[in-house]
Amino acid sequence: MKTVLDFNNSFVIIFLAGTLLSFLIHHFLEFIDYRARIKNGGQLPQELASIPLAQETFDKEKLAKISEYENAKYFAWIPSAISSLLLDLGLVIFGFYPFIFNLVTSWVGFPQNFGNTWLVIALFLILASIPAEILSIPFSLYQEFHLEKKFGFSNMTFKLWLTDQIKGLILSGILGALLITVASFFFIKAPNNWWWILAAILIGFTFIMQIIYPKFIAPLFNKFEPLPEGPVKEKITQILDKCGFKNGGLFVMDASKRSGHSNAYFSGFGKSKRIVLYDTLVKSMTPDELAAVLGHELGHFKLHHITKRLFVMIPLEFLLLYVLYFFAQFPLLYQGFGFDMINAANINNAQFIGLFLSATLYGSLSELLSPLRNISSRKQEYQADAYAAKVCGGGQNLISGLIKLNSENLSELLPPKLYVFWNFSHPTLIERIHALNKLK
């Protein structure tokens, strides 16, 4: 097959360099993490040796299982990552996307009006996404039905997995159609201003989804039962009252029908705020530990972490859309990736292709931004831990809860510092325990 890329094009050079560099960085980090497990995986870290619960929880069998699980994920990830890289490069180098665009426009016509543009964008995005979706299926099935079942996590049946996929596809289609409709209109009616209009719409859409998701979408996949009366609800209610936190209800989610992993989360905002506990979490922790874990999540709200993220996210959303719009104005971008049919004369009618290509460029470089995102996130996690210790009368219940969470999810105990710096949005268990103990 003939290549269509212009390898001297600056945009193409950025894409290839960013894609390959991100791939190499990711593989290097995963490899040093694997080597660290080979060296230290069977040992209880010194920082945990003085904690009776940690000694009891992380026996030799559990430490070996953690390493085995992390190694199994690593060896499953390697072919998946290599296949994704080859597919991403192959689709671009051999002109799959220009081919799809030409095919769609031969059916519908070059984008000229609202209805015409909507159909072109919808067909292009659907056809362009098919190769990656097909490639992901065998790796997803292997992950779910071999790896996760081998380590006692997955309770998924193939029927349930297939049902989830169909529901997700339908929801994605509905939401995608809505966004494409809005975007198509502004691509045609406001070719020089669509970037800030779309940014505002996407931000508004995010807020609306915070209201819609917990009440209408999440129940399509899981059952949510009110937390029953008893010691757990009593303890959690005490913490909520102490923090002055108003919510739309305490719920237990039947997470165990799919997985043995444990978690808890908040969803919604305002009166729609919900506190959701996985049933696996409720079964494994004492009321005091649950209250402490919940106190951590409350800390994010009371310390205004969500608001602070919004103050950062909203300007960045506008900036990102402007940058994508800016690059979408360059005929050189289209020509470099084989879209020779798009030129200065008709570029306004095909800016969605420029947006697609600009987003592809951004995706090739996004791995390089991971440390910046994670530094701020880890700082806020420490602050939320400190808040939980404050409202719960000390950090011991949170420490024991974190130990149980780490053990049940088979999370590794001693990842390399560079790996943590680059990839972790949360501090490690040892770092969190050390920080909590310093609060004394």
Side-chain angles (χ1 to χ4, degrees):
M1 186 180 293
K2 184 180 177 181
T3 62
V4 301
L5 280 192
D6 177 2
F7 290 96
N8 294 317
N9 183 287
S10 55
F11 292 109
V12 172
I13 293 171
I14 291 171
F15 166 75
L16 294 175
T19 300
L20 293 173
L21 182 60
S22 296
F23 175 82
L24 293 174
I25 289 173
H26 208 167
H27 272 270
F28 171 73
L29 292 170
E30 293 296 336
F31 177 73
I32 64 171
D33 189 34
Y34 168 69
R35 293 294 299 172
R37 284 195 300 274
I38 297 298
K39 181 180 179 181
N40 304 313
Q43 305 172 19
L44 182 66
Q46 184 178 358
E47 294 86 346
L48 298 178
S50 60
I51 303 175
L53 177 62
Q55 289 181 329
E56 179 184 342
T57 303
F58 298 112
D59 55 20
K60 289 185 177 181
E61 183 179 350
K62 177 55 67 71
L63 291 172
K65 190 174 182 180
I66 289 173
S67 291
E68 187 182 355
Y69 178 58
E70 292 293 335
N71 289 343
K73 290 196 296 182
Y74 172 57
F75 291 128
W77 171 81
I78 291 174
S80 174
I82 293 174
S83 300
S84 294
L85 173 73
L86 295 177
L87 180 67
D88 291 343
L89 291 177
L91 293 178
V92 172
I93 291 173
F94 295 108
F96 176 74
Y97 300 119
F99 168 76
I100 291 297
F101 182 75
N102 284 333
L103 183 65
V104 170
T105 53
S106 70
W107 296 340
V108 181
F110 202 86
Q112 293 177 348
N113 53 57
F114 167 64
N116 173 268
T117 300
W118 184 93
L119 191 55
V120 170
I121 295 176
L123 289 174
F124 176 81
L125 292 179
I126 290 170
L127 295 176
S129 66
I130 288 175
E133 291 297 324
I134 292 175
L135 179 66
S136 70
I137 290 173
F139 294 109
S140 175
L141 290 171
Y142 177 83
Q143 175 83 16
E144 188 65 54
F145 292 102
H146 177 75
L147 198 154
E148 292 292 304
K149 282 190 179 293
K150 177 181 178 181
F151 290 92
F153 286 125
S154 177
N155 299 315
M156 184 80 76
T157 64
F158 181 75
K159 180 181 178 181
L160 181 59
W161 180 86
L162 186 60
T163 302
D164 283 351
Q165 301 303 309
I166 293 172
K167 289 179 181 177
L169 189 62
I170 293 172
L171 283 169
S172 298
I174 294 172
L175 296 175
L178 289 173
L179 291 174
I180 289 172
T181 300
V182 173
S184 301
F185 179 81
F186 289 109
F187 279 135
I188 294 296
K189 300 297 183 181
N192 297 320
N193 296 295
W194 59 259
W195 63 272
W196 67 264
I197 299 172
L198 285 188
I201 290 171
L202 288 172
I203 291 166
F205 177 77
T206 301
F207 281 105
I208 292 171
M209 286 300 295
Q210 288 294 313
I211 298 173
I212 293 175
Y213 179 81
K215 290 188 175 182
F216 301 105
I217 297 179
L220 295 175
F221 296 89
N222 290 94
K223 290 182 179 179
F224 295 82
E225 301 288 343
L227 183 64
E229 299 294 333
V232 172
K233 185 172 183 179
E234 181 180 341
K235 197 70 183 178
I236 289 176
T237 301
Q238 289 176 5
I239 295 296
L240 293 174
D241 291 342
K242 190 173 183 179
C243 297
F245 183 81
K246 305 298 182 182
N247 66 89
L250 296 166
F251 295 89
V252 178
M253 186 181 86
D254 62 338
S256 59
K257 78 175 184 179
R258 288 181 176 81
S259 173
H261 289 290
S262 297
N263 206 349
Y265 69 88
F266 287 79
S267 63
F269 62 89
K271 294 182 179 179
S272 69
K273 289 197 297 287
R274 287 185 169 196
I275 298 170
V276 178
L277 306 173
Y278 284 22
D279 55 356
T280 49
L281 189 72
V282 175
K283 292 174 184 177
S284 65
M285 289 192 181
T286 67
D288 286 325
E289 290 166 348
L290 275 170
V293 170
L294 195 59
H296 169 91
E297 300 300 333
L298 287 170
H300 287 304
F301 278 92
K302 300 301 288 187
L303 298 172
H304 308 295
H305 290 162
I306 309 301
T307 304
K308 291 175 182 177
R309 289 177 191 174
L310 287 175
F311 275 113
V312 174
M313 183 198 78
I314 290 175
L316 284 179
E317 189 83 29
F318 281 96
L319 176 61
L320 176 61
L321 262 294
Y322 175 75
V323 171
L324 297 182
Y325 158 80
F326 177 77
F327 285 116
Q329 308 311 305
F330 287 88
L332 193 66
L333 173 66
Y334 302 85
Q335 294 160 13
F337 286 90
F339 287 87
D340 296 326
M341 71 297 295
I342 300 174
N343 52 48
N346 60 18
I347 198 171
N348 274 352
N349 290 343
Q351 285 193 71
F352 73 91
I353 292 295
L355 177 59
F356 176 81
L357 294 175
S358 299
T360 301
L361 281 178
Y362 172 76
S364 70
L365 300 170
S366 61
E367 175 69 23
L368 306 179
L369 302 177
S370 293
L372 296 178
R373 292 190 294 264
N374 291 330
I375 288 172
S376 174
S377 176
R378 288 193 298 269
K379 180 180 178 181
Q380 291 183 346
E381 294 302 322
Y382 282 126
Q383 292 170 348
D385 280 352
Y387 181 87
K390 177 182 176 181
V391 298
C392 295
Q396 290 309 305
N397 285 316
L398 181 56
I399 288 174
S400 59
L402 291 173
I403 288 172
K404 289 182 178 180
L405 270 175
N406 201 99
S407 172
E408 290 168 6
N409 291 322
L410 296 181
S411 301
E412 59 184 320
L413 299 176
L414 276 176
K417 290 183 178 180
L418 179 59
Y419 187 84
V420 173
F421 170 77
W422 200 278
N423 287 327
F424 277 34
S425 61
H426 287 57
T428 64
L429 173 65
I430 292 172
E431 289 171 334
R432 295 176 75 172
I433 291 175
H434 178 71
L436 285 166
N437 283 331
K438 283 178 67 176
L439 294 175
K440 293 179 181 179

